[in-house]
Amino acid sequence: MTILVTGGLGYIGSHTVVELLNNNFDVVIIDDLSNTERFILKNIEEITGKKPIFYPFDLKRKELLKQVFDAHKIEGCIHFAAYKAVGESQEKPIDYYENNLFSLINLLQEMKERNISNFIFSSSCTVYGQADKMPIDENTPLKLPESSYGKTKQMGEEILKDFATAHQKKITLLRYFNPIGAHPSAKLGELPIGIPNNLVPYVMQTAAGVREKLSVWGDDYPTEDGTAIRDYIYVVDLAKAHVKALQKLINVSSDTLVDIYNLGTGKGSSVLEVVHAFEKANDVAVPYQICERRAGDITIAYANADKAEKELGWKSETSLEEALRTVWQWQKYLETREK
Ligand code: UFG
């Protein structure tokens, strides 16, 4: 069965392509290389011994997208391709709406015209905003996200629900908590392009001496150590959830057209807990300073992922420390590549 993976050379996309190939799916990747590099394709091939088909273009180019659907018998789609930097989305909201919504709409037009089912959408726990109670399950009311990025995810979900209802198509929305870590082979990971926004890539670069000090954004939150709490989920575990979700879409008849799953560990960790876990796991120092809170940050978010366990047979398996060990291996790999 051939699955189209958009953004398949990106961080979560590349790990998911590996899991799909390992589970005997054929994969067609579309990625415009705007936030990744070509060597990731070669590394996917080295890890799996298989060659996914790759098209380097932007999904807004409808005529090219049509050609891909003409050339392959696509039977499902996992849609990762999107801009994802929260801060940048505040400076360039229109670029975010244009990119994230038009690519989704173009894809859905093709799926509709060709009567293709099985669509999985990369959503985010950002759609919950600061939830009133923890842990967050899928019935937690959504709040308007602060960032335009977050709004594109919420709008994407709404577009997909309408699509599913009008065209009787089964779709799955996966709401990720905070993905971290790298492939155990150290050949795939989050590419640090520019100054990292996210915590773990910044910690990685600080430990490596690329950055002088980590800024811990706020130690006056109402949490035990005063720093904000998130649910950090290992990227390979996350990738495996996509295969399970796809297998369910394909094989299991369901009464619901739209299935929504939270993907997290169910455990919250504070910023300082992550820093200290990284130091312990890798026996390195991470110098840091406490700074003011970052605008738009929430205090706490962690998942109740019981629904994914019950319905997909999936749960997070990898500890925070194990995940952080793979991050350091990935940094070492990137250093050898530079030489
Ligand atoms: N943090 C620091 N210093 C840094 C970077 C982050 O202290 O240099 C803190 C943040 O303030 C936050 C925590 O680390 O408390 C995690 O921050 P990230 O930027 O890694 O992640 P966020 O939870 O802010 O955002 C992530 C993704 C978004 C997604 C959101 C909710 O980056 O794409 O989760 O799903 F929308």
Side-chain angles (χ1 to χ4, degrees):
M1 200 167 188
T2 302
I3 305 301
L4 173 63
V5 182
T6 72
L9 298 188
Y11 175 44
I12 309 173
S14 59
H15 287 84
T16 302
V17 167
V18 166
E19 297 305 320
L20 288 170
L21 292 170
N22 286 344
N23 282 277
N24 296 319
F25 288 97
D26 291 332
V27 174
V28 174
I29 296 172
I30 303 177
D31 194 307
D32 69 355
L33 298 164
S34 60
N35 195 25
T36 186
E37 291 182 34
R38 233 173 227 275
F39 78 86
I40 295 292
L41 181 64
K42 181 177 83 40
N43 288 7
I44 291 173
E45 290 170 6
E46 282 178 15
I47 293 167
T48 61
K50 294 181 183 170
K51 258 187 190 307
I53 294 162
F54 171 53
Y55 293 98
F57 69 84
D58 182 330
L59 287 170
K60 294 198 291 304
R61 300 190 58 187
K62 274 179 152 176
E63 66 298 346
L64 294 181
L65 189 58
K66 259 189 201 314
Q67 286 171 20
V68 173
F69 276 88
D70 285 341
H72 304 277
K73 190 174 176 290
I74 308 277
E75 287 173 276
C77 174
I78 308 183
H79 178 44
F80 293 100
Y83 292 162
K84 60 164 190 175
V86 174
E88 185 186 61
S89 79
Q90 297 302 85
E91 288 152 29
K92 304 177 180 171
I94 304 309
D95 292 356
Y96 270 67
Y97 291 121
E98 180 188 45
N99 188 63
N100 293 4
L101 298 180
F102 285 170
S103 359
L104 172 64
I105 290 166
N106 290 348
L107 267 176
L108 293 180
Q109 290 285 16
E110 290 304 321
M111 304 279 293
K112 169 173 73 77
E113 276 167 28
R114 295 161 200 262
N115 198 23
I116 304 171
S117 281
N118 307 323
F119 193 93
I120 297 180
F121 181 60
S122 275
S123 190
S124 163
C125 69
T126 197
V127 299
Y128 296 113
Q130 177 61 77
D132 295 329
K133 66 175 188 12
M134 292 296 132
I136 299 171
D137 67 23
E138 292 82 356
N139 295 320
T140 302
L142 304 190
K143 291 187 179 163
L144 196 63
E146 293 225 6
S147 71
S148 301
Y149 155 75
K151 287 176 192 158
T152 68
K153 289 293 173 192
Q154 225 179 56
M155 290 173 189
E157 288 196 358
E158 292 308 314
I159 291 170
L160 277 157
K161 286 179 195 165
D162 287 353
F163 168 82
T165 314
H167 304 292
Q168 293 294 299
K169 294 268 171 272
K170 288 200 294 177
I171 58 157
T172 300
L173 311 175
L174 298 179
R175 293 180 180 155
Y176 314 145
F177 283 67
N178 291 52
I180 59 161
H183 195 264
S185 64
K187 289 181 177 183
L188 303 176
E190 193 164 5
L191 274 175
I193 297 175
I195 301 172
N197 295 302
N198 295 116
L199 178 62
V200 170
Y202 209 106
V203 165
M204 173 181 101
Q205 290 200 349
T206 308
V210 180
R211 312 275 158 211
E212 202 188 322
K213 258 185 204 159
L214 169 76
S215 298
V216 172
W217 305 123
D219 71 346
D220 57 350
Y221 284 101
T223 63
E224 211 158 290
D225 64 19
T227 64
I229 291 177
R230 299 286 185 275
D231 184 338
Y232 296 92
I233 169 85
Y234 181 47
V235 67
V236 175
D237 289 343
L238 193 62
K240 289 180 178 164
H242 292 74
V243 177
K244 300 259 187 191
L246 185 64
Q247 285 165 338
K248 178 166 187 273
L249 273 176
I250 296 166
N251 299 323
V252 182
S253 67
S254 145
D255 303 335
T256 45
L257 286 171
V258 181
D259 283 327
I260 304 177
Y261 299 103
N262 282 347
L263 299 177
T265 67
K267 186 176 170 295
S269 305
S270 74
V271 175
L272 288 180
E273 277 171 348
V274 172
V275 170
H276 296 315
F278 189 94
E279 292 183 316
K280 188 164 163 236
N282 299 307
D283 199 18
V284 285
V286 179
Y288 66 84
Q289 57 189 350
I290 305 292
C291 300
E292 293 287 301
R293 291 183 182 193
R294 185 170 70 176
D297 272 351
I298 54 172
T299 304
I300 181 164
Y302 62 91
N304 173 333
D306 292 352
K307 190 178 172 206
E309 182 170 358
K310 200 165 141 248
E311 294 187 13
L312 301 178
W314 172 89
K315 68 178 196 316
S316 141
E317 288 171 349
T318 310
S319 71
L320 179 63
E321 276 197 25
E322 282 171 78
L324 292 174
R325 230 171 272 139
T326 64
V327 174
W328 195 230
Q329 295 309 312
W330 169 239
Q331 169 63 26
K332 298 279 159 221
Y333 170 78
L334 291 173
E335 284 169 14
T336 57
R337 265 184 57 83
E338 271 167 24
K339 280 180 199 151

